Amino acid sequence: MYGFVSDTPDVMTGDHAERWLQGTMNHPNARVIEEDGKLVGEVRLDNPDKADSRARLAIGLFHERHLGRGIGRKAIDLVLQRAFGALGLHRVDLRVLSFNIRAIRCHEACGFRREGIGRQSALVGGQWHDDWIMAILEQDFRDRTAERKANLQE
């Protein structure tokens, strides 16, 4: 959703799509999400802070037909593997609209925990909405990964 709600979603022009793709390709921690050879979304780590060893996760799937199929969860897991592996981060956080229950459940399933609320921090559709601040720490991710491996071996 990227905090966007519309009854008539915009269709990207060729130029707009090219600029978006170029921006994604130039972003060192952004990846497109594909399914069956088709572009279905984007996931990225923004604002990496080396001093505090943290970054902010952003993810979006472009159409409702891609929701509820585990695509986002798999993409987040791959990004967290990179974040806590090659990038050596300690913490990854995100902001999610409080009414986006599907995304909140996905983030929780990936190990994120709710830490706080940004009250009325997002103007969506002419109305103010709260953002939930959620985060996962490297140790949380490692514990979750070890638990999943142990469950697979049982």
Side-chain angles (χ1 to χ4, degrees), residues 7-151:
D7 294 332
T8 56
D10 292 335
V11 175
M12 275 192 197
T13 64
D15 288 342
H16 184 211
E18 183 63 35
R19 283 192 309 275
W20 173 84
L21 182 59
Q22 203 58 45
T24 300
M25 290 171 48
N26 291 336
H27 189 300
N29 297 304
R31 302 292 183 267
V32 297
I33 302 171
E34 91 170 50
E35 183 185 52
D36 298 327
K38 295 183 179 168
L39 177 66
V40 299
E42 173 192 27
V43 62
R44 64 184 188 270
L45 288 172
D46 288 329
N47 306 317
D49 182 330
K50 289 186 181 198
D52 290 328
S53 190
R54 65 180 176 197
R56 171 144 306 154
L57 176 78
I59 183 169
L61 298 178
F62 297 147
H63 197 279
E64 287 183 12
R65 70 177 163 264
H66 303 299
L67 301 177
R69 298 173 42 199
I71 298 168
R73 190 179 301 178
K74 184 177 179 182
I76 290 170
D77 191 58
L78 290 170
V79 167
L80 293 178
Q81 287 176 38
R82 176 172 162 68
F84 298 126
L87 297 178
L89 298 179
H90 172 71
R91 172 189 169 88
V92 173
D93 66 17
L94 60 86
R95 296 176 76 94
V96 59
L97 290 165
S98 61
F99 64 80
N100 193 347
I101 301 304
R102 184 185 302 264
I104 291 167
R105 287 185 182 145
C106 175
H107 298 316
E108 289 173 337
C110 291
F112 284 82
R113 296 181 191 175
R114 185 174 129 185
E115 295 184 333
I117 296 174
R119 296 183 319 132
Q120 296 186 9
S121 58
L123 185 61
V124 180
Q127 295 184 346
W128 289 104
H129 294 275
D130 295 345
D131 269 330
W132 282 16
I133 295 106
M134 301 180 77
I136 185 170
L137 303 178
E138 178 186 13
Q139 191 58 53
D140 299 335
F141 179 75
R142 302 265 179 242
D143 292 346
R144 186 175 153 273
T145 301
E147 183 179 314
R148 285 187 0 216
K149 284 182 183 179
N151 288 339

